[in-house]
């Protein structure tokens, strides 16, 4: 049963991944990517990694793909059918590099393999691994967790700085008035950005 | 319920963690302060930043001789951490002094500027202090994210946005490599803790395992990108040119030092057993980096671009020290990083003073005649250029002497020959700046010098350190040696 499920999910994953790069319509490519993510989540489930599977669906198939689709639709990729010698050259280079990489990989993995580390002790066999992850996240990995929160804050502030229209190009005022306007504008800016 | 233990917060050494706390609190305070209107002339952002940096440096210096392992060995407070934390704080402080007037003049004086500066300093500190691949990655991302935004801070200028875009895309790519490498290493060794990786490798048949080697190589790619080593250097000239000049100085000193700090810790703590694998690779990268950096720098007419290629070349010299390894190589790298940071910061600090308003006058032609129009500035720039070229009696000379002698002792004769030849080549383009300043007539529209007291202080600090370490290198050298001891 597990093997059959694995084979099904794996075949779906490979097929969808191929369709992502082979399909001509970018929106269809993106939708195939969603399917690929979902079948990957299925594989995670088979490995008893329920938490990773859920995160895969929620974060990747949900949030990130919505972002992808937005970008694709905003860019309005109508004129992406390229022609001419440049495309042929690029395609050719791509194939050659891909084959080289494949050859390298094969050569490399013929190398010596050895036993990996002993597998980590089974954590919390009862309540599923979501609880176990939560427990180590707030104890052992407390420090990285806190740093991640700072990281997200910086990313948010950065996005506001980059996206917000301010400064001389958009306030055609005298320098002093401009600075005062900035100081006044600062408060609503942040309220908007961090909400 | 599985049993678990809460980390006892009382047992944490708060002084050792002080730098992290001071920097993050400072950054958040700056963001909150933006809600309070201030008169346009006020510079409280810069002031708060300086205080936070001072508090951070003071806090680690308070317990400089202690050795603490916090959060399950993820955060290590040792001599190495203290050295780099203080270095980053001083680099940050000099950058704040340089920015003090610059951001007002170029009208990018928004509160986020200093908040991002502090956050990236925090990232650098974490990179140096982390003893775990996860926290190293988080520190690197924190530093990089803040720097991407700082590079594009003059968002009405096309070149600034382009620089930020390029830096961000390539940086995200490099982060992906690094993270993939970390994942493979975790798969191969079962741990992300550097000390445990070393213990695992010490008596295991894993050496030579493809997974381990690919993981290590991907890690090298990630770090190579951050320190701008060839062939991962493509972003450097564009990002350096497009960024506000003060940010360029800050990232050329700080990001490079942080990249090398993390690289040194990973290589010297976790991977001594794999030395025979990474030494030849890094040797080639070092030789390539030095040569490509210096030769391309010869062709530049924009001084910021020239200094970008020069910073690539300096990453090559530093890699020679890393390849030499051990106590000597490590202390040579630390010494050179400190010396390099301040001469480079100084050079960019001088460039930041040129031009009226938001205009940028940083070509060699703009520098023509500067030596007579402003003797102080000309003298300072000359010293920085000589030091970058490695001419006595400057600190750059002492750094190179020490670095190359260590490499000779380690038996890296070919690398030293390449390095010395490259240094000779580099003197040519550094002297071109000096020649322009003293022997060429200024053009029809001579560049305006935007003097400001804080920027003058920054020039004096960097100049003093560059000259002081040139004649009195012993103190810094002893400190560097003591700092690296904890790693070995």
């Amino acid at each position: 049963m597990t093997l059959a499920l694995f084979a099904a999910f794996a075949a779906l994953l490979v097929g969808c991944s191929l369709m992502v790069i082979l399909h001509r319509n970018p929106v269809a490519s993106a939708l195939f990517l969603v399917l690929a993510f979902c079948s990957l989540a299925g594989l995670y489930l088979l490995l008893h990694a329920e938490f990773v599977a859920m995160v895969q669906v929620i974060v990747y198939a949900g949030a990130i793909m919505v972002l992808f689709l937005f970008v694709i639709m905003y860019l309005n990729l109508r004129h992406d059918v390229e022609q001419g010698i440049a495309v042929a050259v690029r395609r050719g280079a791509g194939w050659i590099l891909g084959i080289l990489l494949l050859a390298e990989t094969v050569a490399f993995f013929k190398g010596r393999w050895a036993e990996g580390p002993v597998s980590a002790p089974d954590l919390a066999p009862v309540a599923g691994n979501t609880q176990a992850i939560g427990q180590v996240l707030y104890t052992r990995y407390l420090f990285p967790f806190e740093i991640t929160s700072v990281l997200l804050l910086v990313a948010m502030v950065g996005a506001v700085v980059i996206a917000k229209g301010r400064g001389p190009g958009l306030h055609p005022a005298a320098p002093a008035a401009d600075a005062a306007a900035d100081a006044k504008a600062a408060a609503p800016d942040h309220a908007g950005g961090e909400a | 319920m599985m049993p678990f233990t809460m980390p006892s917060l009382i047992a944490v050494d708060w002084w050792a963690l002080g730098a992290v706390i001071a920097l993050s609190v400072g950054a958040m305070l700056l963001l909150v302060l933006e809600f309070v209107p201030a008169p346009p002339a006020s510079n409280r952002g810069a002031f708060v930043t300086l205080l936070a940096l001072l508090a951070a440096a003071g806090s680690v210096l308070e317990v400089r001789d202690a050795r603490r392992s916090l959060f399950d060995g993820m955060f290590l407070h040792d001599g190495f951490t203290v050295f780099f934390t203080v270095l980053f704080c001083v680099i940050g402080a000099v950058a704040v002094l340089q920015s003090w007037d610059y951001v007002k003049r170029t009208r990018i004086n928004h509160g986020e500027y200093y908040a991002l500066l502090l956050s990236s300093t925090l990232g650098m500190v974490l990179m140096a202090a982390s003893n775990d691949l996860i926290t190293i990655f988080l520190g690197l991302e924190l530093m990089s994210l803040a720097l991407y935004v700082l590079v594009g801070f003059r968002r009405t200028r096309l070149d600034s946005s382009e620089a930020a875009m390029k830096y961000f895309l390539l940086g995200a790519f490099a982060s992906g490599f690094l993270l993939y490498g970390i994942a493979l290493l975790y798969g191969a060794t079962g741990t992300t803790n550097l000390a445990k990786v070393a213990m695992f490798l010490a008596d295991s048949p894993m050496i030579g395992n493809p997974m381990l080697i690919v993981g290590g190589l991907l890690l090298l790619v990630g770090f190579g990108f951050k320190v701008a080593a060839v062939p991962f250097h493509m972003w450097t000239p564009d990002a350096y040119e497009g960024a506000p000049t003060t940010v360029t100085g800050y990232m050329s000193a700080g990001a490079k030092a942080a990249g090398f700090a993390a690289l040194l810790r990973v290589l010297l703590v976790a991977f001594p057993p794999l030395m025979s694998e990474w030494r030849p690779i890094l040797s080639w990268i070092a030789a390539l980096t030095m040569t490509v950096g210096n030769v391309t720098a010869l062709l530049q007419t924009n001084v910021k671009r020239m200094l970008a290629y020069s910073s690539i070349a300096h990453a090559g010299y530093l890699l020679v020290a890393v390849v030499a390894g051990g106590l000597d190589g490590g202390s040579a790298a630390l010494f050179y990083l400190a010396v390099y940071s301040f001469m480079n910061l100084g050079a960019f600090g001088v460039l930041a003073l040129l031009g009226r308003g938001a205009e940028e006058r940083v070509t060699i032609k703009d520098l023509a005649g500067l030596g007579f129009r402003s003797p102080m500035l000309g003298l300072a720039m000359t010293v920085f250029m000589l030091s970058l070229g490695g001419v006595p009696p400057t600190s750059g000379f002492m750094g190179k002497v020490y670095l190359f002698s260590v490499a000779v002792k380690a038996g890296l004769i070919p690398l030293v020959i390449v390095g010395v030849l490259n240094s000779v080549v580099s003197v040519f383009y550094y002297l071109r700046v000096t020649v322009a300043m003293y022997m060429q007539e200024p053009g029809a529209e001579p560049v305006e010098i935007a003097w400001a007291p804080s920027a003058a202080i920054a020039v004096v600090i960097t100049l003093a350190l560059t000259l002081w370490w040139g004649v009195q290198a012993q103190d810094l050298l002893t400190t560097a040696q003591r700092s690296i001891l904890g790693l070995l």
Side-chain angles (χ1 to χ4, degrees), chain B residues 209-254:
Chain B
N209 187 313
M211 188 143 108
L212 190 69
I213 296 190
V214 173
L217 283 178
L218 290 174
L219 216 59
L220 280 188
V221 172
F223 286 130
F225 178 87
K226 282 297 156 211
V227 303
V230 176
F232 319 112
H233 67 290
M234 299 298 182
W235 57 275
T236 319
D238 290 323
Y240 278 30
E241 191 190 352
T245 311
T246 47
V247 172
T248 314
Y250 173 68
M251 69 190 270
S252 75

Side-chain angles (χ1 to χ4, degrees), chain B residues 278-288 290 319-320 323 412 415:
Chain B
W278 56 259
R279 267 184 103 166
I281 299 172
L282 276 189
S283 304
W284 278 106
I285 293 181
L288 260 179
M290 287 188 283
L319 279 174
V320 174
V323 173
L412 305 167
L415 266 187

Side-chain angles (χ1 to χ4, degrees), chain B residues 80-373:
Chain B
F80 192 78
T81 306
V82 174
F83 182 91
F84 276 104
T85 306
V86 173
L87 180 66
F88 296 141
C89 289
V90 180
I91 289 174
V94 172
V96 170
L97 287 176
Q98 290 171 345
S99 311
W100 198 290
D101 190 63
Y102 180 86
V103 290
K104 274 200 276 186
R105 178 157 60 85
T106 54
R107 294 159 81 186
I108 49 171
N109 192 13
H110 310 304
E112 298 91 352
Y113 179 89
Y114 292 111
L116 290 169
L117 196 87
L118 273 187
S119 330
S120 73
T121 312
L122 173 63
M124 292 170 190
V125 169
L126 286 172
M127 279 171 81
S130 294
N131 197 33
D132 193 289
L133 290 170
I134 293 178
T135 34
I136 287 181
F137 174 75
L138 286 174
L140 187 130
E141 277 301 282
L142 187 55
M143 174 189 86
S144 310
L145 269 180
L147 283 181
Y148 300 145
V149 181
L150 282 175
V151 166
F153 215 81
R154 293 184 297 184
R155 50 181 300 284
T156 47
R157 284 184 60 134
L158 206 57
D159 56 350
S160 190
S161 304
E162 184 196 339
M165 191 73 192
K166 275 188 183 162
Y167 189 28
F168 171 66
L169 284 180
L170 291 174
F173 207 49
S175 293
F177 274 108
L178 186 76
L179 202 55
Y180 196 16
I182 291 174
L184 288 181
L185 281 177
Y186 178 69
T189 61
T191 175
T192 51
N193 188 297
L194 296 182
K196 283 182 193 151
V197 169
M199 268 187 332
F200 179 81
L201 290 178
D203 48 6
S204 98
M206 284 294 280
I207 295 177
N209 187 313
M211 188 143 108
L212 190 69
I213 296 190
V214 173
L217 283 178
L218 290 174
L219 216 59
L220 280 188
V221 172
F223 286 130
F225 178 87
K226 282 297 156 211
V227 303
V230 176
F232 319 112
H233 67 290
M234 299 298 182
W235 57 275
T236 319
D238 290 323
Y240 278 30
E241 191 190 352
T245 311
T246 47
V247 172
T248 314
Y250 173 68
M251 69 190 270
S252 75
K256 192 157 301 225
F260 270 105
L263 184 66
L264 276 171
R265 209 189 264 278
V266 168
L267 288 181
L268 296 185
V269 173
F271 290 134
L274 290 176
M275 202 145 177
S276 56
E277 314 268 355
W278 56 259
R279 267 184 103 166
I281 299 172
L282 276 189
S283 304
W284 278 106
I285 293 181
L288 260 179
T289 308
M290 287 188 283
T291 315
V292 171
N294 278 317
V295 171
T296 327
L298 284 175
L299 310 172
Q300 306 303 320
T301 52
N302 181 319
V303 181
K304 261 167 113 177
R305 255 186 122 74
M306 188 199 90
L307 284 175
Y309 282 107
S310 125
S311 93
I312 296 173
H314 282 275
Y317 303 136
L318 278 158
L319 279 174
V320 174
V322 175
V323 173
L327 172 65
D328 285 340
S331 51
L334 259 57
F335 182 86
Y336 201 83
L337 272 174
V339 161
Y340 160 83
S341 297
F342 291 107
M343 57 199 189
N344 222 29
L345 263 179
F348 280 112
V350 172
L351 289 183
L353 284 173
L354 304 179
R356 182 194 318 138
E359 70 173 355
E360 192 163 282
R361 304 280 300 267
V362 289
T363 58
I364 299 236
K365 246 191 234 140
D366 292 328
L367 288 172
L370 192 71
F372 298 111
R373 295 182 46 228

Side-chain angles (χ1 to χ4, degrees), chain A residues 131-164:
Chain A
Q131 193 180 4
I133 286 175
Q135 274 171 356
V136 288
L137 194 61
Y138 292 106
T139 53
R140 254 198 84 193
Y141 293 98
L142 182 66
F143 187 59
F145 182 77
E146 294 293 334
I147 299 302
T148 312
S149 63
V150 180
L151 184 70
L152 290 177
L153 178 71
V154 169
M156 207 156 62
V157 171
V160 171
V161 169
I162 292 284
K164 197 83 196 162

Side-chain angles (χ1 to χ4, degrees), chain A residues 21-37:
Chain A
I21 53 172
L22 292 179
H23 206 283
R24 288 206 161 266
N25 187 342
V27 176
S29 284
L31 290 175
F32 273 115
L33 198 55
V34 174
L35 206 52
F37 283 147

